[in-house]
Amino acid sequence: MLIDLAGLTFCDSTGIAVLIAARNRALAARADIALVAVPDRVRRVFKIVGLDQVFPTYSTVPEAEAAWTPPPAAR
């Protein structure tokens, strides 16, 4: 799943908690989440709290789609 944050101007602890909860649900469903077009101001906040280590980020949707690899088949 790609989350386009291009229009985001502010992200506080509530927004961070929502992203972490979404990631946990995605992981439980064996899915991934990547962030796209994270504004510089928000990127700095994500770096401070360590989200830059949790979520892959891409400048554009096509860049994210090009980097995507399908998960291995469930056995």
Side-chain angles (χ1 to χ4, degrees), residues 10 26 29 37 68:
F10 177 78
W68 182 78

Side-chain angles (χ1 to χ4, degrees), residues 3-48:
I3 301 176
D4 188 341
L5 300 179
L8 189 65
T9 59
F10 177 78
C11 186
D12 63 5
S13 60
T14 302
I16 291 166
V18 168
L19 286 171
I20 292 170
R23 179 180 181 268
N24 291 341
R25 286 185 173 213
L27 290 175
R30 296 186 180 181
D32 290 322
I33 292 179
L35 306 178
V36 178
V38 181
D40 288 339
R41 170 179 270 170
V42 176
R43 185 181 303 273
R44 284 191 296 273
V45 171
F46 287 1
K47 184 171 183 155
I48 290 168

